[in-house]
Amino acid sequence: MFRYLLSCLFSFCCLNAANAQLKTVKANFAHPADQYKPGVYWYFMDGNMSAETITKDLESMKKAGIGNLIFLEVNVGIRSGPVEFLSDKWTSLFVHAEKEARRLGIEITLGIGPGWTGSGGPWVKASQSMQHLVSSQVTVTPGDKQKIVLQVPPPKKPFFGEGGLTPEVKKEWLKYYQDVAVLAFPATEQDKPIKDYEEKALYYRAPYSSGVVRPYMPSPATDGADKNAITKNQIIDLTAKMQPDGTLNWSPPAGKWTVMRFVSRNNGAITRPAPVPGLGLEADKFDTVALNYHLDKYVGNLLRKTGKTNKNIKGGLKRLHMDSWEMGAQNWTALFRQEFIKRRGYDPLKYYPVYAGNIVGSLEESERFLWDLRQTSQELILDNHARQVKAYAKRNNLSLSIEPYDMNPTADLELGSVADVPMAEFWSKGFGFNATYSVIEATSIGHVNGKSLIPAEAFTAQDNEGWKQHPASMKNQGDWAFASGINRFVYHTFQNQFLADSLKPGATMGPYGVHWDRSQTWWPMVTGYHNYVTRSQYVLQQGRTVDDMLYLTPEGSPLVFVPPSSAMVGGDTIGDRRGYNFDGCAPGQLMKATVKDHQLVFPGGASYSLLVLPVYESMTPQLLAKIGELVKQGATVVGNPPLRSPSLVGYPACDNRVVALSKMIWGAAVVPGNITHHKYGEGVVIWGKPISDNPDKLYPHYNLTADILKLKGVIDDFIANGDLRYTHRTGAGWDIYFVSNKTDKSVNTVAQFRSVKGSPELWDAVTGKTKKITRFKKNNGSTSVLIQLDAYESAFIVFAKENTWPSNGINTEIYAKTLQTIVGPWEVNFDPKWGGPASATFDELSDWTRSKNEGIKYYSGKAVYHKKFDLAEASAGTLYLDLGNVKNMARVTLNGKDLGIVWTAPWHVDISGAVQAKNNDLKIEIINLWPNRLIGDEKKPYDGIVDDKWPEWLLKGKPRTSGRYTFTTTTQYNANSPLLPSGLIGPVTIRKSNY
């Protein structure tokens, strides 16, 4: 009885704690703390910077609701400025920026090298740079009378070409080499190299986002002996017999012999796109000595000036950052042979010819060596690079964020798992690359590892984005990212506005990035949007994400996790997960999993009902044994057994071990023709030919796994009519669903949520308001809720045990009644500084581009609409002023009361507490976009940058004579470019709704 009472008391206390937590979240929902605000990539352009503009940028961020930034300096699209990178002046400006950010409470994340990617610089010597093992060869016979001279093999061509190498770097690249080995073996008749050996041997790893790179390497070949293969025991080590000039003191035995000279050479990777004084070689990613030397020269140099980070201070430098991997691959370092022997247990020396595509022993043996080579490379990058950066950061009271994708020579999920903060990237839809796979990867890493913060480099762009985007146009894609698991936007990019405030749109990073800076027309109103983002990010960082399926990736590298297409809906650019959410998991992560109540559980709190194995023929005995342990403890695993190991470690006994384990776990050696459930210990393995006959990417079709979940009694987490996307977070005593309308039409539907924790409540992140939902029905572990959302509108549906109000049933009748239309004339004030008339009268609302007045037609900026009106009829309840068609943002003031910023559907404000019967004074401020003014200016003489030189009028402070109003460092429009709709187009109405 005492134990029972104690258990009840414990449960009661836990429930009260959970309720208190959710109450705190609700209380802070309208105004979350600064740590939940979005961030920006803050770019400086090769020495164009000043203390004044640094402060202006930071203060504008603070005012607009930006709470964090990533500091990077690059060389893109603007000629070098007067402040040389890492000079005393530059360093003092960085210190100034850090102090100002600390003053304003803005967190700084610092990239670990010049440019936006990598870790290197002019201080990196070739001997401490990224290395390749390359070779030259000669064929000799005993009758040859000439001395044997082995040529120094040339380096591999840099992946991005030689054009980016400075003369100094190119000289180092061509000059440096270090002899490694000389091997001889009887010549063979191999007429073609191992297929894709340069990729398999990690000479090159192209960007996955380019769309031409496979996400994973195939399982090593199973071919038997090759009569033309090099016989391993006939390979002779002649390293000690070569002179420094390449002369070989050796007389070959009988027959024809191939002699190969192996040297290490730099891989040609440089810091990019670094400011000119920061251009240099990339540091060796396998060597902690090289890494720490680099970190001391760059990060350490700055930390000695800023001082060690104080964790108790809200702003300032808080994190180091490894951006998207764009340095390519390496396959050698000075201690590689020793590390390989230590990690794989055998000497790689006689397999060096495989680096050049030769077959040693057999194709299978050679490809297994290449698998071991890549695995060793991955382990060295994780241990000697990523984890060392993390340790360095920790010693300095900093954390580490990693974007683990693109040209990454390791498995993306393994690299990202090292991070304190795993980070993704997504490009603006229609304006560049599709990197959305990285969103699934980063959110998977964060969920499995129990990370509450998962940011994304957000809305990156090219392809002449040209100031076209704005918060409303980005709402749908932003909500997709939230539903995908991203919970912090870091907008790419806020370009440091080093030009005078009168010169707008101002400085850009060439044609790249959505322009998220203080020179935007709509920047004075962006707080409305940032408030929405902050509230959403706040809620989405609470509790943990609910996912039902876990897809295990194969071992090995490089590897990108790509889920089955059937598990997604809505296309690959902004595709949404289906009703059963899922994550991907790397083998290294799975090794930390346990089982509780038949759920796969991770130390960070994540749990899954189903583990789905890849359709992949090989697996190491260590990973297979772990899977067996999990099934034995009660897990449900879907997949067919592996047939062999991918590695040469312990070969061939390793294959026998895999077969023995498979028979033990699956209960048989032959895959059954139909789906079969086999109990092993407390768990079940589900296998059969249908799983691997028609794989979707690397996995069974989603419907197959969904049916298994249904058999387990797991109902869909969310069911709607297809127009809504969702994500689900949970804590003790509560569930929170984020739902968003992914169409440009209003949606009125009944959605089913897998929660019965109290009555539902709606939290509106646009307004910060919450309200009870009374139109709902509970049934068999789920709650059906009436949902109405306008075009691209979203909401949080919150279930909490303390919410106990009754249901009124699901009455789907919803109406919105128009009480009054406010008609013209309207007085409209434009800003003459940008070419508009100080005052104009609109007899009726219309698009500015239809005006015969060129000052209005080509106007960009803010205009203020004024109108007096009487209320046509009194009405009880909530009244809304609906603005109709708005291009592109608005602020409404009624009778002197600021009713807020309107930036998205439903494009209305609540006027209930401000409207009066007579003589209402209405003011609506409207802001459009830059393109129209830029297009209008293209009809005037050009007075901008020519041949990479600033115009004379700008350099000498003279007045402009061209008649242009705008100035920018990139030209993305001409005089014939189409104008964008602008202004308050309406109609403006007063409405009442019953929802």
Side-chain angles (χ1 to χ4, degrees), residues 589-795:
Q589 294 174 294
L590 188 70
M591 300 305 284
K592 300 175 183 177
T594 57
V595 177
K596 183 179 180 182
D597 299 331
H598 296 281
Q599 294 282 108
L600 199 66
V601 178
F602 288 84
S607 66
Y608 303 88
S609 296
L610 211 61
L611 175 65
V612 185
L613 304 184
V615 180
Y616 200 75
E617 292 186 346
S618 60
M619 185 181 290
T620 62
Q622 294 80 5
L623 178 59
L624 184 54
K626 176 64 177 181
I627 291 169
E629 290 174 14
L630 294 172
V631 178
K632 202 169 187 179
Q633 293 169 15
T636 299
V637 172
V638 179
N640 292 333
L643 306 177
R644 60 188 176 276
S645 171
S647 172
L648 274 182
V649 175
Y651 179 76
C654 58
D655 287 6
N656 297 331
R657 176 66 175 151
V658 167
V659 171
L661 282 168
S662 293
K663 285 182 179 179
M664 183 172 66
I665 298 165
W666 275 264
V670 179
V671 178
N674 299 316
I675 297 295
T676 302
H677 294 237
H678 172 70
K679 189 169 178 59
Y680 176 65
E682 297 297 315
V684 177
V685 288
I686 301 171
W687 63 315
K689 290 190 71 177
I691 287 174
S692 53
D693 276 353
N694 295 294
D696 183 348
K697 302 291 197 308
L698 263 178
Y699 302 99
H701 194 279
Y702 169 83
N703 289 345
L704 188 153
T705 48
D707 288 344
I708 291 171
L709 283 169
K710 286 181 172 65
L711 283 175
K712 285 172 61 70
V714 181
I715 63 174
D716 285 278
D717 194 11
F718 178 78
I719 299 175
N721 64 353
D723 293 333
L724 304 181
R725 61 169 64 91
Y726 87 104
T727 192
H728 176 191
R729 298 190 73 84
T730 189
W734 58 265
D735 286 299
I736 296 178
Y737 287 80
F738 172 80
V739 295
S740 79
N741 177 5
K742 51 188 177 182
T743 76
D744 61 358
K745 304 289 190 298
S746 61
V747 170
N748 178 10
T749 188
V750 175
Q752 181 178 306
F753 300 83
R754 192 174 68 200
S755 179
V756 288
K757 296 177 182 176
S759 304
E761 193 172 21
L762 186 147
W763 295 9
D764 183 353
V766 172
T767 63
K769 296 178 180 179
T770 66
K771 68 177 182 180
K772 296 177 181 179
I773 295 175
T774 58
R775 300 185 186 194
F776 68 91
K777 181 180 180 181
K778 294 184 180 182
N779 185 40
N780 294 328
S782 68
T783 304
S784 297
V785 179
L786 178 64
I787 300 289
Q788 181 181 22
L789 295 173
D790 211 317
Y792 302 128
E793 191 178 7
S794 62

Side-chain angles (χ1 to χ4, degrees), residues 212-272:
V212 298
V213 181
R214 54 187 166 189
Y216 61 92
M217 296 290 128
S219 189
T222 57
D223 299 44
D226 188 322
K227 65 180 181 178
N228 293 322
I230 300 165
T231 303
K232 188 171 63 173
N233 61 14
Q234 291 183 321
I235 297 174
I236 303 172
D237 182 1
L238 301 178
T239 306
K241 296 183 180 295
M242 190 185 72
Q243 302 301 307
D245 65 354
T247 302
L248 188 64
N249 294 329
W250 178 66
S251 296
K256 186 185 294 185
W257 288 76
T258 298
V259 183
M260 299 185 72
R261 180 181 183 180
F262 295 90
V263 305
S264 62
R265 303 217 55 160
N266 172 262
N267 78 338
I270 63 168
T271 52
R272 52 180 297 278

Side-chain angles (χ1 to χ4, degrees), residues 305-325:
K305 301 295 194 304
T306 60
K308 196 169 184 177
T309 298
N310 185 336
K311 290 185 177 181
N312 297 321
I313 295 176
K314 191 163 62 170
L317 187 59
K318 297 295 183 186
R319 187 175 297 117
L320 298 183
H321 179 63
M322 292 168 55
D323 211 68
S324 52
W325 191 288

Side-chain angles (χ1 to χ4, degrees), residues 60 467 493-495 497 505 507 515-520 522-523:
S60 77
W467 296 274
T493 180
F494 190 118
Q495 168 60 49
Q497 293 302 310
H515 301 282
W516 215 259
D517 59 63
R518 61 187 174 91
S519 288
Q520 265 287 12
W522 40 257
W523 194 254

